[in-house]
Amino acid sequence: MAVLKVTPSKDTPKRDIAASFGSHRLGLSDALVWALAIFAYFFLGAYHQLGTQVIIMIILALSLDLAIGYSGIESLGHAVFFGIGAYAAALFALNVLSEPLTGLVVGGLAAGAFGFVTGLLVLRVRGLTQVILTIAIGAVVLQVATTWKSVTGGDDGLAGYQVAPILGRYSFDLYGHTAYLYSLCVLAFVFALARILVNSPFGYVLRGIRDNDQRMRMLGVPVAARLLLIYSISAAIAGVAGAISAQVTGLVATDSLSFLLSGNVLIMLLIGGMGRLTGAFIGGIIFVIFSDRAAAIDPFNWLFMLGGLLILAVRFTPQGVGPWIDRMGGYLLDRRRKP
Amino acid sequence: MNDTVLEIVGLHKSFGALAVTRNINFRLEIGARHALIGPNGAGKTTLVNLITGALAPSSGSIRLEGRDITRYSPQRRVSLGLARTFQINSLFPSMTVVENIALAVVANMHIDAKLWGALNRRKQVLIELERLLDVFNLSGSACQLISNLAYGQRRLVELALALALKPKVLILDEPAAGLPKEDSGKLSELLRRLPADLAVIVIEHDMQIVFGFADRITVLAEGSVLTQGTPSEIRADAKVREVYLGQARND
Ligand SMILES: Nc1ncnc2c1ncn2[C@@H]1O[C@H](COP(=O)(O)OP(=O)(O)OP(=O)(O)O)[C@@H](O)[C@H]1O
Ligand SMILES: [Mg+2]
């Protein structure tokens, strides 16, 4: 009986226990993506704006991954947070201050607060009801944005606001070079935060809730409060993505709130893989570039091509292509890792 | 000195017209080894659900260390020291064994809202995990996903989760359900080594485990307590033979 009671006074636990956790490790796919992003800066030429789009979508997809992939919150309304962040940042630039970093914070806080309030409702239900609820909230907000012309500019959206140079030094140029690097820095920051989050005790608790929320309750964890926290964090990150979008494009329209955007981000995650952070990167890149190219080749039928891509992705890589790339990486690095 | 940890008074539960728990009175002392037996459908799991708060009783009260917890949420009861295992495994299938147990450790250490500081770099957590893996002989499968684990081992993880909570009262709902014979022997051995001051209620159909473990047995039939006594009293009880042991032999 002593075995269960007394802590054996081994001061240093075995290292292999720490290694038995599926923590997010920086794998080959991460290295690849970051190298590519910096490399791309010098070779994008006229495509810096597209590159910036990719980065913004990655941030949005990361935020969705925290909700769906890590916590099992089934949201098909993440564009709402993106849009609210965008409008908040634009309104802030129009009426208060043109300083961009504060604008990001404002966008994030506005969306986070909206996530907190709607979370009280959305997180009460699960499954299909939850999906539909998030869609419904999205529809309501879109309706409000379209009608409330004095604030949102209605269908015309908001434009004509100034964004001051970043840190008073780097002004946004016409070619989108600054915008690209700016978004990339924010992405790096968000990614670092997300990584800390998913590896923390809280991050594991979220996965536990996703797997079996009943049992998590019976371990004494206040599940509702934890879900509300991650939902608000996820909303805030989506809001930051929206704020960047408002700042670098100088325009916010109602499409930033649309169901289409919510759906597209979900597709990115499906392509890249959920619950692994890197999926957002891979999915975001493939999705934005593919739809840009497909739309250029056939402006009328490109959605069909997108559908085809999605079917292929789900058929051949149900976990997304992220694990697939990591496995290739693991293959190459195997010799070094395992004796 | 009052040694009672758990006290149940006049507990009653009906689902519509069906009374599943009828006027149950019950008292558990520190370090108790109590078995709850009864035929299928006697209301054993329902009683556990009432005690742990998964169900609300129609009437009656439940006290934990003198405190009335009848209206407390399941979470609150767990944090006050009431833990259970499930008749049907209730684990985290897409996570590894060590991650599963870590969730219980995290809950017990109240670090479930810590947003930073990697879980697998926390020394206290790792030391506790190593201890639990050793106790349950699970070190070898620490990095296996639950969904890839043999059934018997899942039962052990189920038990490890409950013990990681360092409870005062532990309720085991058919821990040997579905275990092959040799594994249920190992389980008996594990049960014998539970901390001496932990009060344990075990629900079990395997009489070898029951009689090897319990110092007191309550027999439940059709929702009410048929009788209560020491293992030898229960063995000798004619009523029990009739409703339970006789039936079990016919199975
Ligand atoms: N939610 C419910 N609604 C209606 N009836 C229920 C409900 N839960 C349990 N019952 C009924 O209550 C009775 C007792 O069920 P319970 O699961 O407590 O039995 P048990 O003693 O644990 O049986 P077993 O040995 O098979 O596990 C059964 O007749 C069952 O059908
Ligand atoms: Mg039962």
Side-chain angles (χ1 to χ4, degrees), chain A residues 117-286:
Chain A
V117 174
T118 52
L120 293 171
L121 192 67
V122 166
L123 301 171
R124 274 167 181 269
V125 293
R126 305 215 86 187
L128 193 58
T129 325
Q130 192 166 53
V131 175
I132 291 172
L133 207 53
T134 59
I135 296 176
I137 290 171
V140 170
V141 173
L142 180 61
Q143 189 58 44
V144 170
T146 317
T147 354
W148 199 9
K149 290 201 168 67
S150 58
V151 174
T152 62
D155 284 326
D156 300 331
L158 292 174
Y161 46 87
Q162 293 296 313
V163 180
I166 303 158
L167 302 172
R169 198 185 274 179
Y170 310 99
S171 50
F172 288 94
D173 57 293
L174 217 55
Y175 307 102
H177 291 178
T178 310
Y180 181 85
L181 291 177
Y182 175 59
S183 330
L184 194 61
C185 287
V186 178
L187 172 61
F189 180 73
V190 167
F191 174 69
L193 281 188
R195 220 181 139 256
I196 290 173
L197 199 70
V198 301
N199 288 341
S200 74
F202 177 65
Y204 279 90
V205 164
L206 294 178
R207 285 191 239 175
I209 295 174
R210 174 197 66 193
D211 264 24
N212 188 346
D213 59 325
Q214 283 305 333
R215 183 55 188 259
M216 216 59 218
R217 274 187 200 103
M218 292 311 291
L219 293 178
V221 171
V223 166
R226 301 296 172 261
L227 282 178
L228 191 57
L229 181 57
I230 191 61
Y231 196 60
S232 310
I233 292 175
S234 165
I237 294 174
V240 167
I244 301 177
S245 164
Q247 291 172 347
V248 303
T249 58
L251 173 78
V252 185
T254 48
D255 63 351
S256 66
L257 287 162
S258 70
F259 173 74
L260 188 65
L261 179 59
S262 299
N264 285 350
V265 196
L266 185 60
I267 294 175
M268 287 174 216
L269 269 192
L270 284 174
I271 294 173
M274 287 187 187
R276 53 199 335 278
L277 297 188
T278 39
F281 288 76
I282 297 157
I285 293 170
I286 295 179

Side-chain angles (χ1 to χ4, degrees), chain B residues 39-46 48 84 87-88 173-174 203 205:
Chain B
N40 291 116
K44 304 179 296 293
T45 299
T46 305
V48 175
R84 73 174 290 187
Q87 181 170 352
I88 297 162
D173 196 354
E174 302 200 21
I203 294 173
H205 288 296

Side-chain angles (χ1 to χ4, degrees), chain B residues 171-186:
Chain B
I171 307 177
L172 307 170
D173 196 354
E174 302 200 21
L179 280 190
K181 203 74 205 148
E182 64 270 24
D183 281 357
S184 72
K186 276 184 223 153

Side-chain angles (χ1 to χ4, degrees), chain A residues 4 22 199 211 215 222 226, chain B residues 94 99 112 119 131 135 158:
Chain A
L4 283 178
N199 288 341
D211 264 24
R215 183 55 188 259
R226 301 296 172 261
Chain B
S94 78
E99 287 170 350
D112 56 299
L119 178 57
R131 180 182 79 88
V135 168
E158 182 77 44

Side-chain angles (χ1 to χ4, degrees), chain A residues 1 4 11 13-14 18 20-23 196 199-202 204 208 210-212 215 218-219 221-222 226, chain B residues 75 78 86 90-94 96 99 103 107 111-112 114-115 117-120 123 130-131 135 158 193-194:
Chain A
M1 88 182 56
L4 283 178
D11 276 351
K14 287 185 201 124
S20 307
F21 283 80
S23 290
I196 290 173
N199 288 341
S200 74
F202 177 65
Y204 279 90
R210 174 197 66 193
D211 264 24
N212 188 346
R215 183 55 188 259
M218 292 311 291
L219 293 178
V221 171
R226 301 296 172 261
Chain B
Q75 276 134 269
V78 173
F86 290 78
S90 179
L91 298 167
F92 307 97
S94 78
T96 64
E99 287 170 350
L103 288 178
I111 52 173
D112 56 299
K114 286 268 182 293
L115 306 189
L119 178 57
N120 64 353
K123 205 164 144 193
E130 185 168 19
R131 180 182 79 88
V135 168
E158 182 77 44
R193 292 188 306 176
L194 289 172

